[in-house]
Amino acid sequence: MTKMAIENIPVPKDTVAQAYLHKVPSHPGVFCIALNRPKSKNAISMQLLEDLRAALRQAMAEKMLNVLIFYSSSSGAFSSGADLIERQSMSDEQVRGFLSNIRDIFNEIDSLPFPTIAAIDGPALGGGLELALTCDFRIAASDVTRISFPEVRLGIIPGAGGTQRAPRLIGMAKAKELIFTGRILTARDAKDLGLVDYVASSSSTAFERALELAKEMSFSAPLALRAAKTAMSRSLDMPLDEALNHERACYEPLLGTKDRMEALVAFREKRRPVFVGE
């Protein structure tokens, strides 16, 4: 794929939605949520949050959705964080409502039943980085130079889960240093720290690398992918014996599915199974 891959995907060019869901025609089972505020580098506004919530509802209704990628509809971007221009006109009560809203929506993303990937092709700052942290995987373009939590330098703290998800991902000491200093990381720095899982090659975008990873997962059975994520998502919060029982509870419903029987038949016939999400 070329670096024009994003532009080549048929999405509604005349949409006014600041976030929207679409399929990737060349990759069955792969869907994307595009952040669509190019002039502000996808700064998170009240409208973007509402559109993001609507896109998530649509994604949950897609039974053949195997992987969901979050990315920017415009090249060289991810999300510059909260819309500080909009924030200046908000009352304290409106700010509190905004924070509650963004936490709720980011928690929804964190608990989605299918694999998620954040494709970071530009700055991921504050709330933008917090959005990326809700995903299962984070992939950054090699030329990204601005990944950070700048909030303490603005008189606030990360308010959409950053103080909680970052320590769980990279450890308490590293997270404290990152948040207390507001340090700006490059893609390579973020990878070394464990904040990013993959850095795309210099000839590729993060979105293209995300598509490669998504394609590998998209051949799996939709229900099995969801069961695997559900089983793993709580594994570290429980004693091993309890976690193993949880795994069995996630496995059990798969036994009677059409997809499991199709996989057995396909194995016997030496062909790739055709899953239907049932």
Side-chain angles (χ1 to χ4, degrees):
M1 299 178 78
T2 70
K3 283 203 172 188
M4 295 299 289
I6 293 176
E7 287 79 2
N8 289 342
I9 289 179
V11 295
K13 297 298 182 181
D14 58 345
T15 184
V16 295
Q18 295 183 9
Y20 56 86
L21 178 76
H22 68 84
K23 296 180 181 180
V24 180
S26 57
H27 293 59
V30 180
F31 285 67
C32 299
I33 288 183
L35 306 178
N36 190 42
R37 291 193 75 200
K39 291 183 180 179
S40 66
K41 295 287 185 181
N42 301 317
I44 302 172
S45 65
M46 290 187 287
Q47 185 61 53
L48 188 146
L49 284 180
E50 289 307 310
D51 292 341
L52 183 55
R53 190 191 297 275
L56 290 172
R57 295 290 184 273
Q58 291 178 297
M60 286 295 293
E62 295 284 350
K63 74 172 186 178
M64 292 304 292
L65 190 159
N66 275 12
V67 188
L68 182 63
I69 300 173
F70 291 82
Y71 80 110
S72 171
S73 64
S74 56
S75 59
F78 185 66
S79 173
S80 58
D83 187 337
L84 297 182
I85 295 176
E86 182 182 70
R87 181 70 60 85
Q88 289 176 2
S89 66
M90 294 167 66
S91 67
D92 288 350
E93 192 60 33
Q94 287 174 318
V95 172
R96 293 187 184 98
F98 178 88
L99 289 173
S100 294
N101 203 20
I102 194 170
R103 286 193 198 109
D104 289 346
I105 293 172
F106 282 12
N107 284 342
E108 283 187 41
I109 297 171
D110 201 356
S111 59
L112 286 172
F114 35 74
T116 54
I117 305 172
I120 304 170
D121 271 307
L125 306 175
L129 180 52
E130 289 175 298
L131 170 59
L133 290 183
T134 67
C135 294
D136 296 309
F137 304 97
R138 284 152 297 283
I139 300 175
S142 61
D143 58 358
V144 171
T145 58
R146 298 180 68 207
I147 298 174
S148 77
F149 289 118
E151 285 89 347
V152 293
R153 296 187 178 186
L154 299 170
I156 54 175
I157 66 172
T163 63
Q164 305 307 306
R165 291 190 176 96
R168 285 166 168 77
L169 183 65
I170 62 175
M172 186 61 76
K174 290 178 181 179
K176 284 181 176 178
E177 184 176 355
L178 186 63
I179 291 172
F180 293 172
T181 64
R183 182 174 299 145
I184 299 174
L185 307 176
T186 66
R188 297 292 177 187
D189 294 334
K191 172 67 166 59
D192 291 341
L193 199 61
L195 207 60
V196 160
D197 300 295
Y198 302 97
V199 174
S201 68
S202 58
S203 61
S204 176
T205 65
F207 182 70
E208 290 167 336
R209 181 65 182 87
L211 283 178
E212 292 177 10
L213 179 59
K215 184 177 181 180
E216 289 185 70
M217 292 185 279
S218 68
F219 294 120
S220 303
L223 293 177
L225 269 179
R226 297 180 186 211
K229 180 170 177 178
T230 300
M232 296 174 71
S233 63
R234 294 180 54 200
S235 61
L236 299 183
D237 298 326
M238 296 184 285
L240 180 58
D241 285 347
E242 187 179 342
L244 289 171
N245 289 335
H246 175 60
E247 177 188 74
R248 178 62 184 269
C250 294
Y251 188 113
E252 193 69 25
L254 300 175
L255 290 175
T257 62
K258 293 179 180 179
D259 283 349
R260 176 177 174 270
M261 299 309 299
E262 162 64 10
L264 293 175
V265 172
F267 179 80
R268 185 177 68 245
E269 297 176 353
K270 297 181 179 181
R271 59 173 175 82
R272 177 174 290 173
V274 180
F275 295 122
V276 295
E278 298 176 4

